[in-house]
Amino acid sequence: MELVAGCYEQVLFGFAVYPERKESGGHEKWTPVADFTHHGHTACLSAVAINSRFVVTGSKDETIHIYDMKKKIDHGALVHHNGTITCLKFHGNRHLISGAEDGLICVWDAKKWECLKSIKAHKGHVTFLSIHPSGKLALSVGTDKTLRTWNLVEGRSAFIKNIKQNAHIVEWSPKGEKYIVVVLNKIDVYRLDTASVTGTITNEKRVSSVTFLSESVLAVGGDEEVVRFFDTDSLMCLCEFKAHENRVKDLFSFEIPEHHVIVTASSDGFIKMWKLKQDKKVPPSLLCEVNTNARLTCLGVWLDSVTDRKESLPPAAEPSLVSKEEQPKSSKKESGNVVQEEERQSKPSMKKCGLTGVSKKPTKGSGLVSTKKRKMVETLEKKRKKKKIRIMQ
């Protein structure tokens, strides 16, 4: 397995983790080993998503970078958004969904790396999105004070709920029977069948990340050193433990045979892996830790031995998300007060970053663009500007 984390310093870190057998009477310890660092972005990293083959990262430089974890190469960049990439979510190995400060939610083909659909989702920024386990629904929150439900089968807005404040996190439970919406330090718990709030959890500080440990247990990290486990039914705090010396920026949990693990990343530069106990009222035990000496922002875990069964969105979704013959070049459909914009996407100009040649500056919506090409274009542009300044002088 591989720990992957992004930071303010524009770098993506990769650490290979080697589980070690527990010695009799001793504490179980895992060993993290530095595997790679990659400086592909020109601004701080803001989001990361992982499937069985690729790691994708979003940044304030408005691009999405793709890394092939099996070949350990940069696979190129996606340029479509006009704003900071705020959230990235894979559904299986076939689709990636991205959200950004331009208010767009984009559905990408994770094989050909084409933008299949671009939806004007929020009037302000898209701050977070979450895909239902079935792949048929998605939730998004934005700076327009709305919680929106998306029908991914038909690629349209299904429901809009006005909330009093700007939420910055929304997350489905593992079975998809409930979901939570976070506003500052308040966590509202909703039931899917009633779409109403069943209760509110209050954290001491602003919440920066959450992850469900089970259908009823939620791990919460925020602007403090502590991580707390809450019961979403009773709304009670089950336990809390000091995870870091600074605020917790991101949480991630996963299960492998004989282990249920939660991973924490902090502004103190540390990534830590913890083994969860059967009883969530008991704090987890530390498996390993690694110091990146960077201000971490986002976190993920690549499990190379695990294959995702959910290969793609439901078959019914394919015609609306993939078919381009039915989509006009530029059309707008109104559903309630949501305006959906569908744009025909051109095929990516290159498949892998190993290809060379600079013919023109990459444009938004052009699909996959190699990192090498993008950097060469940026360098040429800077040289041209310098020449112009010299001539003027």
Side-chain angles (χ1 to χ4, degrees):
M1 74 182 74
E2 190 114 7
L3 282 176
V4 178
C7 64
Y8 280 108
E9 289 79 8
Q10 308 171 8
V11 175
L12 179 71
F13 296 97
F15 296 91
V17 179
Y18 300 96
E20 295 179 5
R21 290 184 179 179
K22 184 178 179 181
E23 297 179 7
S24 57
H27 293 288
E28 186 174 8
K29 289 291 181 183
W30 290 3
T31 305
V33 178
D35 188 24
F36 69 88
T37 58
H38 188 80
H39 192 165
H41 288 284
T42 58
C44 74
L45 277 70
S46 52
V48 63
I50 300 173
N51 70 3
S52 63
R53 178 68 182 267
F54 297 102
V55 169
V56 294
T57 57
S59 166
K60 286 191 174 183
D61 65 10
E62 305 180 357
T63 66
I64 300 168
H65 277 254
I66 309 160
Y67 308 93
D68 188 322
M69 289 298 288
K70 291 187 177 178
K71 294 182 179 179
K72 294 292 170 68
I73 60 169
D74 186 328
H75 198 71
L78 302 172
V79 285
H80 183 83
H81 288 286
N82 285 297
T84 298
I85 310 300
T86 54
C87 43
L88 294 166
K89 300 287 180 180
F90 273 111
H91 181 69
N93 292 321
R94 188 61 194 273
H95 292 96
L96 170 71
I97 300 183
S98 62
E101 288 187 356
D102 56 7
L104 295 180
I105 287 178
C106 296
V107 181
W108 302 87
D109 184 326
K111 299 289 184 182
K112 298 178 181 178
W113 296 109
E114 291 180 279
C115 183
L116 302 175
K117 196 171 187 69
S118 180
I119 304 169
K120 182 62 178 175
H122 288 268
K123 292 177 181 178
H125 303 167
V126 177
T127 51
F128 211 87
L129 63 85
S130 181
I131 305 170
H132 190 269
S134 68
K136 295 178 181 179
L137 294 173
L139 292 170
S140 68
V141 288
T143 55
D144 55 1
K145 298 181 181 179
T146 63
L147 165 66
R148 301 185 184 233
T149 306
W150 300 95
N151 182 332
L152 293 181
V153 176
E154 298 178 11
R156 62 175 178 80
S157 173
F159 186 75
I160 302 168
K161 181 178 177 62
N162 292 310
I163 48 183
K164 295 178 181 179
Q165 292 175 284
N166 291 325
H168 61 281
I169 298 174
V170 61
E171 195 72 57
W172 287 102
S173 65
K175 293 181 181 177
E177 294 174 359
K178 65 179 73 168
Y179 55 92
I180 58 98
V181 176
V182 182
V183 177
L184 299 176
N185 68 325
K186 305 285 186 183
I187 305 168
D188 288 331
V189 183
Y190 289 77
R191 282 187 60 87
L192 174 61
D193 53 4
T194 61
S196 59
V197 179
T198 60
T200 300
I201 295 167
T202 303
N203 196 46
E204 285 192 19
K205 298 282 183 74
R206 182 183 184 275
V207 176
S208 57
S209 182
V210 300
T211 184
F212 275 95
L213 305 179
S214 68
E215 189 66 18
S216 60
V217 179
L218 183 73
V220 178
D223 291 350
E224 55 188 330
E225 306 89 352
V226 172
V227 172
R228 294 184 179 87
F229 298 165
F230 289 96
D231 187 311
T232 56
D233 294 326
S234 68
L235 309 177
M236 299 295 290
C237 180
L238 300 175
C239 80
E240 65 175 65
F241 63 98
K242 183 179 178 180
H244 293 273
E245 296 300 322
N246 208 325
R247 59 182 176 175
V248 178
K249 291 292 289 184
D250 206 359
L251 302 173
F252 187 88
S253 65
F254 65 94
E255 288 186 67
I256 55 175
E258 299 181 10
H259 290 86
H260 190 180
V261 179
I262 184 170
V263 190
T264 60
S266 168
S267 297
D268 63 10
F270 278 88
I271 306 170
K272 297 185 181 183
M273 303 184 80
W274 309 80
K275 183 178 180 180
L276 294 163
K277 309 297 184 184
Q278 196 84 26
D279 183 2
K280 298 302 183 290
K281 292 181 180 179
V282 179
S285 57
L286 185 65
L287 288 169
C288 68
E289 64 180 22
V290 62
N291 187 7
T292 63
N293 293 306
R295 294 171 296 161
L296 300 175
T297 57
C298 50
L299 170 73
V301 177
W302 180 65
L303 302 169
D304 54 349
S305 61
V306 177
T307 55
D308 199 328
R309 293 180 183 177
K310 300 168 186 174
E311 287 292 326
S312 62
L313 293 173
E318 296 296 337
S320 62
L321 294 180
V322 178
S323 176
K324 296 182 181 180
E325 290 79 2
E326 297 174 6
Q327 295 183 14
K329 286 187 178 180
S330 180
S331 64
K332 294 183 181 181
K333 295 181 180 180
E334 292 195 12
S335 176
N337 61 346
V338 180
V339 178
Q340 299 179 10
E341 294 185 358
E342 304 171 16
E343 297 178 1
R344 184 187 292 266
Q345 302 299 326
S346 60
K347 290 188 177 181
S349 56
M350 45 182 63
K351 297 285 182 180
K352 293 182 181 178
C353 67
L355 299 176
T356 58
V358 181
S359 58
K360 61 179 181 178
K361 189 174 181 179
T363 57
K364 297 290 179 181
S366 60
L368 190 63
V369 177
S370 73
T371 305
K372 187 175 180 180
K373 178 176 177 179
R374 187 168 61 83
K375 287 187 176 180
M376 286 174 71
V377 171
E378 288 173 358
T379 305
L380 286 171
E381 286 295 316
K382 287 178 182 177
K383 286 181 180 179
R384 285 172 191 164
K385 287 178 181 178
K386 284 181 182 178
K387 283 181 180 179
K388 286 180 181 179
I389 290 168
R390 285 172 187 169
I391 291 166
M392 288 173 72
Q393 289 174 346

